[in-house]
Amino acid sequence: MAQVILKELIKTNTQSYQKSDNWNYINYLDTGNLTENVINEIIRLDPNKDKIPSRAKRKVKIGDILYSTVRPNQRHYGYIEKKYDNLLVSTGFVVIEPNKSKVNGKYLYYYLTQDNVISYLQTIAENTVATYPSISPKDIENLLVDFPSLDNQEKIIHILSNYDDLIENNNRRIKILEEMAQKIYKEWFVDFKFPGHETTTFKDSPLGKIPNDWEVGIIKDINDVKGGYAFKSKDLKENGKFGIIKIKNIQAGNIDTNMCQYIDEKLAQKASDFKLNAGDILIAMTGAQVGKVGIMPQTKQVYYLNQRVAKFIPNKDFIINNQYLAIYTQTEKFNIQINNIASGAAQPNISASQIENIEILVPKAEIISAFENFINPNLKEAQILKNKNENLKQTRDILLPRLISGEINVENMEVL
């Protein structure tokens, strides 16, 4: 297997957007919205109406690799396999254009996402004098790459892509299950077609007609809101066993645990009241992310809540999995109330007590309990699929370096 300096196989950052391009819309992808080849959100912008971020510069096409220059260990990278019209990405990415006659772009993507490559680039990043640990395009260009034949590259891609395809299929199923829960929420709590609605009488309220035995209350009626621990910057490390969940970790309804800093065991014990559990609902309290909500995933690592992020804590026995509140936080009504409160300050900001006082429809206890029981099988199935994905990722990540190093020889392997 030959080794080649990567700059002989690629070009970087070759195309930038110019005003003369005169696009009537822009699809913009920021670094925080791409993690391990999963796009959480592409923002559609109108150049004639919207303020275009100054970082929205780099053009991208099918076959390009995106690789974040800041903290490589946060794994903001991806491979563009389908066409996105008018796609621009942040200058926080290196856009890598493989020479297709010499290297398969998907093979190169897998190569660059190995743990040992990420660790090497992270070490370079930590030794820079930049504000944040970062790398330059040249750091990638100067990598020495294991370079099998194009035929063997295809075989390696096929084996690894099988795992990625299974993960993607599971993600689609998870999305369907989550959408089903949202549909049931709308049916019960917006259209009022809950069990027993046929005999229900209604009354006037600030929210319009609601069932007679329901109330218009506040979040405090069913959940307390507790802010995180004030960890000091000097105590945070790039690696460790005890992770810290900050505002930046809340991404499009999820918690991205790849973007963490860490504390030592002594500080973790001191902050034990702020330890997080799977299913905890978290909300950003300040900055551009204010009001963004994410649900803590099930993980093997231990995580703690940082200041300026809060979690919802059910305060009623009839609440089973807190999904009534979780889905409410995704509604337009919730977001309007958050924005009305946060926009009153110089910097968008909202306190725990202000969140607790946000208006919410409070159904009878039996209805909330029945709803959460009804969708619980969906939640359990989604969690099973998420666990399967973790196992698939672990298996793929074990195979990845062995395939690329040649420890698993694909030369005479027949790949169907």
Side-chain angles (χ1 to χ4, degrees):
M1 183 183 294
Q3 286 194 319
V4 180
I5 295 177
L6 192 53
K7 65 183 176 183
E8 297 179 12
L9 306 175
I10 65 169
K11 295 178 181 178
T12 58
N13 300 338
T14 59
Q15 297 185 61
S16 296
Y17 178 73
Q18 308 294 330
K19 286 187 177 179
S20 58
D21 289 322
N22 199 29
W23 289 355
N24 56 9
Y25 67 91
I26 290 169
N27 283 315
Y28 174 56
L29 177 62
D30 204 350
T31 51
N33 287 326
L34 173 66
T35 304
E36 293 187 315
N37 208 30
V38 176
I39 295 174
N40 289 324
E41 181 182 20
I42 293 178
I43 302 170
R44 188 180 174 97
L45 300 168
D46 182 342
N48 298 314
K49 298 178 181 178
D50 300 319
K51 183 178 180 181
I52 307 301
S54 60
R55 290 159 61 89
K57 293 289 186 185
R58 306 217 192 283
K59 290 182 178 179
V60 179
K61 61 184 180 304
I62 292 176
D64 286 347
I65 300 165
L66 306 180
Y67 211 94
S68 174
T69 58
V70 176
R71 294 193 176 97
N73 65 345
Q74 293 182 352
R75 299 175 184 263
H76 296 306
Y77 48 64
Y79 179 69
I80 303 300
E81 294 191 83
K82 66 178 182 179
K83 180 176 174 59
Y84 295 92
D85 292 332
N86 295 3
L87 179 62
L88 295 182
V89 301
S90 168
T91 52
F93 284 118
V94 179
V95 179
I96 302 167
E97 180 183 342
N99 183 331
K100 295 178 182 178
S101 66
K102 295 182 178 180
V103 65
N104 188 302
K106 190 67 178 285
Y107 170 82
L108 188 55
Y109 164 76
Y110 282 128
Y111 189 94
L112 292 172
T113 58
Q114 295 177 93
D115 287 342
N116 64 326
V117 175
I118 293 169
S119 296
Y120 174 72
L121 293 173
Q122 179 64 25
T123 299
I124 293 175
E126 289 171 1
N127 288 314
T128 62
V129 293
T131 306
Y132 301 103
S134 58
I135 58 173
S136 71
K138 286 188 176 181
D139 293 322
I140 293 178
E141 291 170 358
N142 290 329
L143 289 171
L144 196 61
V145 178
D146 293 314
F147 186 45
S149 67
L150 284 170
D151 183 54
N152 285 347
Q153 290 177 38
E154 288 281 358
K155 291 178 180 179
I156 291 170
I157 291 165
H158 184 85
I159 293 167
L160 296 172
S161 292
N162 283 338
Y163 287 90
D164 287 337
D165 290 345
L166 287 171
I167 291 168
E168 187 176 348
N169 286 338
N170 285 342
N171 282 334
R172 282 197 286 265
R173 291 171 63 191
I174 290 167
K175 185 176 181 182
I176 290 170
L177 290 167
E178 291 173 345
E179 288 174 348
M180 286 173 62
Q182 291 168 359
K183 183 178 179 180
I184 295 165
Y185 174 94
K186 180 179 182 298
E187 185 177 296
W188 285 33
F189 304 114
V190 178
D191 301 333
F192 299 124
K193 293 182 179 179
F194 50 87
H197 72 277
E198 298 88 350
T199 58
T200 297
T201 56
F202 288 78
K203 65 183 179 182
D204 291 324
S205 81
L207 298 179
K209 295 281 187 181
I210 65 171
N212 248 333
D213 45 7
W214 296 18
E215 299 295 336
V216 175
I218 57 176
I219 285 177
K220 178 70 174 176
D221 292 332
I222 55 174
N223 268 247
D224 298 324
V225 179
K226 180 180 179 180
Y229 185 88
F231 295 104
K232 296 178 181 178
S233 298
K234 66 182 180 65
D235 294 324
L236 302 182
K237 311 174 189 303
E238 290 301 319
N239 296 288
K241 293 182 178 180
F242 306 98
I244 302 303
I245 298 298
K246 298 183 176 182
I247 289 174
K248 66 181 181 182
N249 298 103
I250 302 176
Q251 299 288 331
N254 297 308
I255 305 297
D256 183 355
T257 56
N258 290 308
M259 303 168 58
C260 287
Q261 291 177 289
Y262 300 84
I263 56 172
D264 60 27
E265 186 172 1
K266 183 178 179 180
L267 185 52
Q269 290 175 349
K270 185 177 179 181
S272 60
D273 287 346
F274 300 87
K275 182 178 175 181
L276 293 169
N277 299 303
D280 281 345
I281 304 169
L282 310 184
I283 181 169
M285 300 171 70
T286 189
Q289 289 281 92
V290 67
K292 297 293 184 184
V293 173
I295 297 179
M296 196 66 195
Q298 187 170 341
T299 64
K300 293 179 180 179
Q301 188 136 18
V302 179
Y303 293 94
Y304 295 82
L305 190 66
N306 192 48
Q307 63 181 338
R308 294 189 289 276
V309 185
K311 74 172 180 176
F312 294 92
I313 305 171
N315 57 26
K316 295 291 186 290
D317 292 339
F318 58 78
I319 296 175
I320 299 164
N321 49 45
N322 217 18
Q323 284 302 295
Y324 175 70
L325 178 70
I327 298 177
Y328 177 67
T329 62
Q330 300 172 42
T331 64
E332 183 180 4
K333 179 173 177 54
F334 176 81
N335 288 321
I336 288 172
Q337 292 185 82
I338 286 284
N339 291 333
N340 287 342
I341 297 167
S343 61
Q347 180 183 10
N349 186 70
I350 188 165
S351 68
S353 62
Q354 286 174 317
I355 297 170
E356 287 180 338
N357 280 285
I358 284 176
E359 189 175 73
I360 186 173
L361 181 64
V362 183
K364 285 195 305 181
E366 308 92 89
I367 295 295
I368 293 179
S369 181
F371 168 74
E372 296 193 340
N373 268 315
F374 191 76
I375 66 169
N376 209 39
N378 282 10
L379 294 177
K380 287 182 177 179
E381 186 176 349
Q383 189 58 57
I384 289 170
L385 291 170
K386 289 174 183 178
N387 292 342
K388 285 182 178 178
N389 277 356
E390 284 304 310
N391 292 331
L392 288 166
K393 287 177 185 178
Q394 288 175 18
T395 304
R396 180 201 60 194
D397 292 345
I398 290 170
L399 283 174
L400 176 56
R402 294 178 181 178
L403 287 165
I404 285 179
S405 68
E407 180 183 342
I408 298 176
N409 190 348
V410 299
E411 184 69 39
N412 299 314
M413 188 180 294
E414 289 187 15
V415 178
L416 300 178

